[in-house]
Amino acid sequence: MTDEAGPWLVVGLGNPGREYANNRHNVGFMVADLLAARVGAKFGRHKRAMAEAAEGRLGFGGPKLVLLKPLTYMNLSGGPVAGLAQFHKIPPARVIAVHDELDIPYGQVRVKCGGGEGGHNGLRSMSKSLGTKDYVRVRFGIGRPPGRQDPADYVLSDFSSAERKELEFLVDRAADVVESVVLKGVEPTQNLYHGA
């Protein structure tokens, strides 16, 4: 998976609009923005997909990244993802979805390839549109909602003030995880980051 046979599609999942910008559900957008800054790219509206896209290379002559932020709402993210994957001829094995994960405690970032969607509408839409669940997921732990708060309300609320103190560091770590998957593969990345 780490050969340089073609580009990688890195999808930051989130909802468009300023009112959602700091929501837990938009952490994928935050990571995509940081990756764009790291590769010196700027997001712009893509002509063939309802999405913002940016392109750059990891390091000098390194693997090409196509960064994507769907401009549809979360439950329709798959259409733009599949459209750009087809446009750039990127197979699902080279697609990385960066998303919030309720089932992982806040402060942890995990990576896996394939598996279920865990009720995440963005992942469900991607799996349906790509025709497979066999793509990489960088899972940004947001933890479970406190008390009896509805999970849908929780993911659409902003990070707490205590969480915001660590957020920049954790977004940075998630971007490191994405880069590691591209450069080293999923299993070496799991070995590096799952114990940290």
Side-chain angles (χ1 to χ4, degrees):
M1 275 180 67
T2 58
D3 67 13
E4 295 184 32
W8 287 78
L9 179 59
V10 180
V11 181
L13 289 175
N15 285 314
R18 286 186 7 208
E19 67 271 28
Y20 299 106
N22 297 312
N23 288 179
R24 290 176 177 90
H25 222 21
N26 271 41
V27 73
F29 277 17
M30 296 173 198
V31 174
D33 286 338
L34 178 57
L35 286 166
R38 285 184 179 184
V39 300
K42 291 190 189 247
F43 277 98
R45 181 72 187 258
H46 197 275
K47 295 174 190 168
R48 298 196 180 185
M50 184 112 171
E52 288 188 347
E55 296 180 20
R57 292 197 175 272
L58 280 181
F60 181 73
K64 180 180 177 182
L65 298 184
V66 178
L67 304 167
L68 174 70
K69 296 190 298 185
L71 293 177
T72 57
Y73 286 93
M74 187 69 79
N75 60 346
L76 298 174
S77 298
V81 173
L84 253 70
Q86 280 184 323
F87 179 75
H88 288 282
K89 297 177 175 52
I90 301 172
R94 294 177 80 91
V95 173
I96 302 172
V98 184
H99 65 91
D100 58 303
E101 178 62 65
L102 283 165
D103 293 328
I104 296 175
Y106 183 77
Q108 295 181 17
V109 179
R110 298 284 179 260
V111 63
K112 73 174 185 174
C113 187
E117 291 100 2
H120 196 289
N121 289 332
L123 294 177
R124 187 177 298 126
S125 178
M126 279 184 62
S127 297
K128 182 178 179 186
S129 295
L130 290 170
T132 183
K133 295 179 180 183
D134 295 330
Y135 53 90
V136 179
R137 296 98 186 277
V138 172
R139 306 158 71 211
F140 189 107
I142 61 168
R144 298 303 266 164
R148 295 178 181 230
Q149 184 178 8
D150 180 7
D153 293 336
Y154 179 69
V155 300
L156 292 174
S157 63
D158 290 354
F159 286 99
S160 70
S161 58
E163 290 169 332
R164 282 195 301 271
K165 290 177 184 171
E166 291 184 87
L167 186 59
E168 187 176 340
F169 167 77
L170 295 171
V171 168
D172 194 63
R173 170 171 276 224
D176 290 346
V177 169
V178 170
E179 289 185 9
S180 179
V181 168
V182 170
L183 296 171
K184 299 174 183 166
V186 171
E187 193 173 333
T189 301
Q190 290 170 330
N191 293 337
L192 269 174
Y193 288 94
H194 284 202

